[in-house]
Amino acid sequence: MSAFPSSPRIATLVLAGGTGSRMGGCDKPLLPLSKTHTVLDYVLAALRPHCAALALSANGDASRFAPWNLPVLPDTQADMGPLAGILEGLRWAESQNCSVLITVPGDTPFIPADLPQLLLPAPAVAVSDNRQHHLVASWPTACRPALEDWLKQPDHKDKLRIRCFAATLGVRDVVFPAHTPDLFFNINTPDEYVYARKLVHEGLSHV
């Protein structure tokens, strides 16, 4: 018998439900970054080799994601922000017999190709340039009951803050080296979209 524990079975949830308000209300993951690939394509290309299961977190018409042939998980709890998506992801990951859920925003096309392994063991959060990226994280699926209880609490100022819930789990920081662009650069504005397309044109991609 090996002296080392077996690797956990990993599920990954791409958080694709943002409103894109600073981009005119578009689905940022569906924006083209090259002639043939969208932002979502770049995110998935980095994750697929390392995950037993992949899903998208998004509300609204799921058919817009049909070309990727992935489960689309809508929130079942309204007005709970990204934590509602993480909760649905944990429930789904359990159904896939996975012990770890990795979460990644759908508008971060330059994530490291080995991100899931680097975020083990869970719980862990990515840190770059002295900033925690709480949507880039690993969650043990065993924390699902704790998150359900957290969201049932009476409203308080920290209830919807991911970092506050993560702190209750003893989340650890995983520090990534300085990089240009930042490995967790996300597209929020038209100027940032132009910049991302320029970087892809210059050869920064996983696809």
Side-chain angles (χ1 to χ4, degrees):
M1 180 180 294
S2 170
F4 299 97
S6 59
S7 298
R9 182 173 165 87
I10 300 172
T12 296
L13 182 70
V14 178
L15 300 163
T19 60
S21 57
R22 285 183 281 175
M23 291 287 294
C26 67
D27 280 307
K28 291 185 292 181
L30 303 185
L31 291 170
L33 275 190
S34 69
K35 291 182 179 179
T36 56
H37 295 95
T38 65
V39 175
L40 182 58
D41 288 322
Y42 284 84
V43 175
L44 293 176
L47 299 173
R48 280 189 190 278
H50 311 288
C51 303
L54 275 166
L56 305 175
S57 170
N59 295 314
D61 185 1
S63 67
R64 66 195 192 277
F65 297 107
W68 288 272
N69 194 31
L70 293 173
V72 180
L73 312 179
D75 297 345
T76 59
Q77 298 195 40
D79 303 320
M80 293 294 178
L83 282 174
I86 293 171
L87 176 57
E88 295 309 317
L90 289 167
R91 290 169 173 165
W92 162 78
E94 286 182 309
S95 76
Q96 302 301 305
N97 297 314
C98 293
S99 60
V100 175
L101 176 71
I102 304 290
T103 55
V104 180
D107 60 357
T108 53
F110 306 115
I111 56 174
D114 54 352
L115 177 66
Q117 276 65 39
L118 295 174
L119 290 176
L120 295 178
V125 60
V127 178
S128 64
D129 195 24
N130 296 314
R131 177 190 170 196
Q132 290 180 316
H133 302 275
H134 284 98
L135 292 179
V136 184
S138 61
W139 310 87
T141 56
C143 80
R144 187 262 309 158
L147 180 52
E148 289 177 336
D149 291 343
W150 177 268
L151 293 177
K152 290 175 183 176
Q153 293 180 25
D155 288 342
H156 55 81
K157 65 183 180 65
D158 294 330
K159 179 177 178 178
L160 302 185
R161 294 180 180 176
I162 296 174
R163 66 177 176 83
C164 294
F165 173 70
T168 69
L169 304 178
V171 68
R172 63 187 180 86
D173 291 348
V174 177
V175 179
F176 288 80
H179 192 275
T180 302
D182 189 288
L183 295 169
F184 307 107
F185 165 85
N186 63 313
I187 299 167
N188 284 316
T189 67
D191 285 346
E192 289 171 345
Y193 176 45
V194 170
Y195 177 59
R197 287 176 61 89
K198 176 177 179 290
L199 292 172
V200 168
H201 180 72
E202 292 172 353
L204 270 173
S205 72
H206 300 299
V207 297

